Amino acid sequence: MPQMVNLDALIRREDFEVVGQVDDSPTGIQSIRATDLSLDALVYHTLRKPDFQRETASWTPEKVAALVRSFLEGDLIPAIILWRSGLSGKVFVIDGAHRLSALAAWVQDDYGDRHVSQRFFENVIPDEQRKAAESTRQLIQESVGSFVELSHALRSDDAASGEKMRLARNLSIVTLPIQWVPGTADKAESSFYRINQQGTSIDSTELEMIKARRKPNAVAARAFIRAGTGHKYWSSFDASVQADIESIANEVYELIFKPHLGPAIRSTDLPAGGRGYSADSVRMVFEFVNFANDVHSEMRQAESGVGRRKGQKEEASERLAEDVDGSETIRYMRTVKRAAERIAGNSPGSLGLHPAVYFYSFTGRFQPAAFLAAVAFARELAEKKQFPLFTQNRAEFEEFLVKHKYFLNQIVRRHGGWHRSVTPIHRMYRTLLSGCIRGASHEEIIEMLQDPEGARLPIRVASPDDYQHGRDFSGRAKNAVYLDMLLREATRCNICGARFNARFTTLDHDLRKEDGGTGAPENAQITHPYCNSGYKEQQRASK
């Protein structure tokens, strides 16, 4: 997966303030110099990204370095398109935010990891973001040098090589061209959508979130993605609501995105929600918010009814409204938190599902569909009050999943990723539990899963001949070997006998305190949270 440089902090994001306001101010400058993007430049502090701009985090280190090099060489770079608010005087970037941000990052030596970014993200910067920043810094240093280095070269002719001096002199004269959008704020926004559906278009999830930016599902997802830091899409709400949003966002982020996922698997201590800083994380979180809150596709459509099936009644599914005070966003976020706590964390009702068992394929790849299916399965168990029944059969249930982890890959390959595979994976969990309750063998359970009158899943038992390998071990092969070894050696819960993740455990008195048990180490046993606080107590009460 390529590194992506997070430049979202370099130009602040802000609402247009008044819909329909006309830009009746002077057109302004026709070009921007690199020095206009320094922290002490007046022009820089008037620049804003409108709140419907996508996150400025989809360029690789190579692309950022190439833009800086092209700028210094005087190559043709498309014009930056701006709109100026006649009310506030602020200048909004309608197109070209990545270009401006890349140049600002070079000028400020901040590629997502230094002063401006640290303040913007409140020091919550994932390791992947820091590594991408350092890679960019190194590439630019090798290609053209830092902004400070070239600036100093102009003041001291003998302080730089001939190539650096040439680039330094170019720096003094090259500019980025500007094109202004006249008219209302509405026109500026429509210009943004039209421009960004040409060339490199906006990802469909990002576009949906932009258009739903004031609705509770989008606001909640934005908060979760950055642990409540970054641009505050919830800034119009009361201070107490903002504090609640940021607190819940941080708690859920800790539950599903910690620890940060490295490039290779050498431990089963994996994040439940996969990589927190990736191209897929935005979609994963948005899908999770919608899934947990039963927000169906019809509810998510624009008010115009675009995408509604022919003959579908408007009343069939209530449209999702904008959240005016934050109450709906808080409700959505609390629902997501409850869903996350059922499968992860140390709260008393948590099953503490082992991420390597449930959410990752046998090659160590995070499967969003498996994550959402586990959320659905845990909710179903809770609603049917079947946590005890699951716990009684959990060890054998998970033994089957570990032995046949490639079934996940087969289902996703047949049905497709994301929500398309959630239902069949959920069906696999439900059928598997039924088989375990009946005491069925693995072979019998596989027949149940394949039964055209039953689960109807596209699975088959694989053999080593099904996989082709080169002469060297691939990254996936290495992950498969380590994951298999780590799962075989994993420590097990002293109550249910299933594997546990060290982060999702509790310490239990083997002999209860009420019965004379002490806090001595020899009286301790490590268990899943629910096994300790729910299942164990229920078993004792039934005796």
Side-chain angles (χ1 to χ4, degrees), residues 216-217 219-221 223-224 240-253 255 288-294 323 325-342 347 375 379:
N217 59 337
V219 178
F224 288 134
S240 61
V241 174
Q242 293 185 45
D244 283 347
I245 287 174
E246 290 160 22
S247 174
I248 299 171
N250 184 62
E251 290 173 3
V252 172
Y253 186 92
L255 280 174
F288 184 21
V289 171
N290 288 321
F291 190 79
N293 287 279
D294 295 319
D323 188 2
D325 60 6
S327 59
E328 278 297 281
T329 298
I330 291 290
R331 185 174 69 83
Y332 272 49
M333 295 181 73
R334 286 176 175 157
T335 301
V336 169
K337 182 183 175 184
R338 285 194 297 273
E341 286 178 335
R342 287 193 193 104
S347 62
V375 169
R379 179 169 63 182

Side-chain angles (χ1 to χ4, degrees), residues 11-12 16 27 32 43 45-50 81-85 88-94 178 180:
I11 300 175
R12 291 169 56 188
F16 268 168
T27 300
I32 288 182
V43 171
H45 291 285
T46 66
L47 291 174
R48 295 290 186 274
K49 287 180 294 194
I81 300 179
L82 306 177
W83 178 84
R84 187 167 188 261
S85 166
S88 68
K90 294 171 183 175
V91 175
F92 290 87
V93 184
I94 303 302
I178 289 175
W180 293 89

Side-chain angles (χ1 to χ4, degrees), residues 509-520 523 540:
H509 285 78
D510 190 13
L511 180 63
R512 294 191 308 170
K513 290 184 288 184
E514 295 90 330
D515 298 329
T518 69
N523 191 43
R540 283 175 175 157

Side-chain angles (χ1 to χ4, degrees), residues 11-24:
I11 300 175
R12 291 169 56 188
R13 188 179 277 100
E14 194 169 304
D15 193 354
F16 268 168
E17 296 170 329
V18 179
V19 175
Q21 66 173 288
V22 178
D23 172 19
D24 55 2

Side-chain angles (χ1 to χ4, degrees), residues 274-300:
R275 200 179 302 276
Y277 179 68
S278 72
D280 287 338
S281 59
V282 173
R283 180 175 181 183
M284 204 288 291
V285 172
F286 192 47
E287 293 281 358
F288 184 21
V289 171
N290 288 321
F291 190 79
N293 287 279
D294 295 319
V295 178
H296 305 294
S297 58
E298 291 83 1
M299 297 171 65
R300 292 157 57 175

